[in-house]
Amino acid sequence: RQTLEPFLKRAWRRPVAEAELDSMLGFLDVGAAGQGETKPFEAGIRLAIQSALLSPHFMFRIENLTDPHAPAEQQLGPYEVASRLSYFIYESMPDDALFAAAGSDALRDPASLEAEISRMLDDPKGEAFVRKLVGKWLALDNLNHLSLDAAVYPAFTEARRKTIYGETALFVKEF
């Protein structure tokens, strides 16, 4: 339990139900029953980790809805919000602070959600997201390949090129 529960929470990006944990702990018995295994605990843990990484909970961002057949909109849970936000900005799983905010249900509060988004955008991974967004969306990556005649456009220098990109990225980040 001490090994698997924290791993599963991170791998599946949400708390793990007792039944799920018990199911994964069953792999310890399978490992212990393995023929020729000199370290049955390690074999069982290895099987549990392999199973967790092959699980749809790891492979996909599953959003648990209260009633998948309901015609009305349904609110996402805090861990689903954290995953969506993290994969949008970081292109990766939620960090510890975002997990903590999801665990305390702070992401339902608009002010807390805005604070988390600001924190994430101030992170180097968030700044990379803004640069990538500006570069692709507004095609500012093309500035790196733009060569203008210096006699016709004397003000367009390398410093100006960086300033155009930087100011646009700051504007988009603030927006």
Side-chain angles (χ1 to χ4, degrees):
R1 285 185 181 278
Q2 291 174 348
T3 302
L4 280 179
E5 188 170 17
F7 171 77
L8 291 172
K9 182 179 180 183
R10 296 292 293 174
W12 292 351
R13 300 167 299 277
R14 63 171 174 79
V16 180
E18 282 297 315
E20 292 172 320
L21 183 57
D22 290 341
S23 173
M24 291 303 222
L25 288 171
F27 286 105
L28 297 179
D29 297 333
V30 174
Q35 296 178 349
E37 290 290 343
T38 57
K39 298 178 181 178
F41 176 76
E42 289 179 16
I45 289 291
R46 187 171 44 251
L47 287 172
I49 290 173
Q50 288 172 350
S51 177
L53 297 178
L54 291 172
S55 165
H57 298 286
F58 176 75
M59 302 293 284
F60 305 105
R61 262 190 7 245
I62 295 176
E63 296 176 345
N64 295 316
L65 301 175
T66 53
D67 180 6
H69 302 292
E73 289 182 5
Q74 297 180 50
Q75 199 171 40
L76 293 173
Y79 289 95
E80 286 90 355
V81 171
S83 283
R84 276 192 180 192
L85 191 58
S86 182
Y87 280 97
F88 180 65
I89 295 176
Y90 286 169
E91 296 180 342
S92 182
M93 65 186 297
D95 60 9
D96 291 336
L98 196 53
F99 263 125
S104 68
D105 214 20
L107 298 179
R108 291 195 194 276
D109 173 47
S112 296
L113 180 61
E114 189 172 330
E116 275 302 309
I117 292 170
S118 294
R119 178 192 66 79
M120 292 173 73
L121 289 174
D122 287 338
D123 184 90
K125 291 185 286 186
E127 290 176 1
F129 159 73
V130 172
R131 283 192 306 275
K132 196 181 307 182
L133 176 67
V134 165
K136 299 294 181 202
W137 176 44
L138 299 175
L140 288 184
D141 283 343
N142 294 339
L143 282 175
N144 295 329
H145 309 293
L146 184 64
S147 60
L148 299 175
D149 185 353
V152 178
Y153 301 100
F156 192 76
T157 62
E158 185 59 32
R160 178 71 44 99
R161 182 188 319 258
K162 289 179 181 177
T163 301
I164 291 170
Y165 199 100
E167 285 184 6
T168 307
L170 286 173
F171 175 78
V172 169
K173 179 182 174 186
E174 186 62 29
F175 180 74

